[in-house]
Amino acid sequence: MDKEPVQKKIESLTKILNQHNYNYYVLDRPAISDYEFDQKLKELEKLEKDYPEYVLDDSPTQRVGGKITRKFNNVNHKYPMLSLSNTYSKAELEEFDQRVRKLTQSPFSYVCELKYDGVAIGITYINGVLTQALTRGDGISGDDVTHNVKTIRSIPIRIYDSKLPSEFEVRGEIILPHKSFIDLNLEKNNNNEALFANPRNAASGSLKLQDSSLVAKRNLDCFVHGILGDSLPFTSHYENIQQAKDWGFKVSQYTKKCSNIDEVMTFIEEIQKIRTELSYDIDGIVIKVNQYDIQEELGFTSKFPRWAIAYKYKAEQGVTTLDNVIYQVGRTGAVTPVAELKPVWVAGTKVKRASLYNADKIEELDLHFGDTVFVEKGGEIIPKIVMVDIAKRTKDAKKVSFTQKCPRCGTPLKRKEGEAVFYCPNSSLCPPQIQGKIEHFISRRAMNIEGLGEGRIEVLINHKLISRAADLYKLKYEDLYGLEKTIEDEETGKTKKISFKEKTVNNILQAIEDSKKIPFERVLFALGIRHLGETGAKKIARQLKNLETISKTSYEDLLAIPEIGEKIAASIVDYFNEYENIQTINALIDAGLKFEIEQPDFESMSSSDLPLAGKSFVVSGVFEKYSRNELKEIIEKKGGQNISSLSSKTSYLLAGEKMGPEKKKKAEQLNIPIISEADFDKLIQ
Ligand code: IVH
């Protein structure tokens, strides 16, 4: 293909895909199927791979992230990021209205908006291009999270409009929708990582991830509720916000212009009725004077604007009694107390249980059996007990004290210094721990052994066929064929039969065999070392290359690995100090699992595997995934050439952290593309 048509094709595919992304992520009205979208995306990816020089900065392929931010720079806001005065009372809202009307003689209107419960963001566009995104910080300066914000698909990276102001800033709220929050916590739970308490914390944590490719997977969303700049198209808030909607931003349909405070009150009540149906959290309504000149006239108090106020909804509460406290044992032995309640309706759902988090929480609430308790939906999803009505407590009520023994195997519980969680130390024999560990081992992101879900692991444990993951590799057809069990679904009360017929058994055995090819990073994750999630396992595997080295690495050396904290490092050292674990590992080695990282087999590559043929590279700086020498080796093996200094003939500058500014400047002067490690990975794929 000629270069000209290719460039045009890349441009047109980029435009079409951006429009479909807008339909999907902003309008929530997809116009083509996911399959069709993926086909077009693949086509674009292929063209971009062959012609990287034509990749546009707003290409949808750039949304997958890849940029690593080691430390977020603190940058001053051009316009300070203020907060609002709050009220829970309609009477105070009336007072706000009276104050405003006293301070101005001119006619004005109000704009009512949802008060999104997320993370504030300010995004600057210069000549239509997203150039900077800052968090609120202390209001004067915030963290530069531009790379991460660019992965959010409802935020345009480039805006095409001939009438666009040359520079402006949008203010908005980054949120995590309920479904994504639940999925994320499920995944965290599977990975044995600490859960996020609510979607706001999850959004804030996600925005501060160092690896933007992980942010891209989090499904963050953004509602825009403000726009600032010197030459905005309109002189009022509502009109500019509607314009921002036309530029491709997500502006809520629940944004209303009201001519007086009565209309504001009606809006508040209308939203109160539907707020639990929204797919994300809001905690109130923001009321703003619409006209900028009147906003200016009203000005600010020492802390807040006088032209806006937030009306906050009271959290939905229910009152009920505490029947019992039960204890659940997780796969790592962590024991979680759960309150069993007399069923009560809160915010549209029937609440029967509430999390009590840990022993400290029980103590803090001074909980007694039979207590009258107030339940609230934390983050609107997970119910929690917020208060006890002590006046209603009977004299003989017994205090709830955290169980001393494991509810499943009776072993006395332990608590680690400085940790809030009690755990059962009997990790190799305690049934839920055995089961949980094996379930984690076979899970999709670990060894991906299909066919053993739906309680089948429990059947195998009960038949004493397995008591640790390594036993799976000894299973034979005769062991499994004919096993069966009837189980009762706790929720529905319906019974279900689990059976091991010929086809199921063959599938299971094949899946177990196939799992021997799973790469070392995932085997390491599958071992279920406390606190070691998928990402941590990858980092360690790539750095230390094999299990033997990991087992011999000291706590201090583990800590030196990027993103490995004290908890993980200590947990790895503990893991290798357990005789049981060493035995399990030896059995897994015997079974033929991979315990070292695989280096690409360059020797057996054919000439068609030389994607870097004819390209020359200068490699500079410190890299995340490969060492500098490894990169140079890959360049040569893939047909490229390493050169030591930049010249006009250099194809790429492969830039890592800490690369000198001079080099960057020179590359820019010579117009040499500067690529990251992730870009390089794409080139060689
Ligand atoms: S306007 C001066 N509008 O609430 C006006 N803020 O306490 C500043 N928020 O930090 C904010 N939804 O992050 C505005 N529709 C909305 C909002 C909103 C959520 C957040 C925002 C701000 C905080 C104000």
Side-chain angles (χ1 to χ4, degrees), residues 82-84 113-116 120 173 225 286 288 305 307:
L82 302 166
S83 60
L84 295 166
E113 287 167 359
L114 303 183
K115 187 169 191 308
Y116 312 97
E173 203 77 1
H225 55 60
V286 179
K288 301 173 181 171
W307 45 265

Side-chain angles (χ1 to χ4, degrees), residues 74-82 134-143 169 171:
N74 199 263
V75 179
N76 275 350
H77 290 292
K78 182 164 182 193
Y79 310 93
M81 254 176 137
L82 302 166
L134 301 179
T135 62
R136 179 169 187 277
D138 60 4
I140 305 297
S141 65
D143 285 342
E169 181 175 337
R171 291 279 166 89

Side-chain angles (χ1 to χ4, degrees), residues 2-20:
D2 256 342
K3 291 236 164 159
E4 268 291 293
V6 169
Q7 189 171 10
K8 279 197 187 132
K9 183 76 191 167
I10 287 183
E11 279 172 14
S12 111
L13 275 170
T14 302
K15 203 164 159 209
I16 293 170
L17 286 163
N18 278 341
Q19 178 63 42
H20 286 303

Side-chain angles (χ1 to χ4, degrees), residues 332 414-417 419 423 425 427 437 527-532 550-556 558 565-583 585:
T332 54
K414 282 194 176 164
R415 193 180 196 172
K416 284 216 168 124
E417 182 93 17
E419 283 190 21
Y423 71 97
S427 59
K437 279 199 183 75
L527 293 179
I529 300 175
R530 258 183 122 211
H531 305 302
L532 183 63
I550 298 174
S551 71
K552 289 180 187 153
T553 303
S554 69
Y555 170 79
E556 288 75 23
L558 286 167
E566 291 170 9
K567 257 189 181 171
I568 303 181
S571 172
I572 293 174
V573 173
D574 285 353
Y575 182 88
F576 289 104
N577 280 336
E578 288 280 333
Y579 175 67
E580 284 288 335
N581 295 334
I582 303 298
Q583 272 196 322
I585 288 170

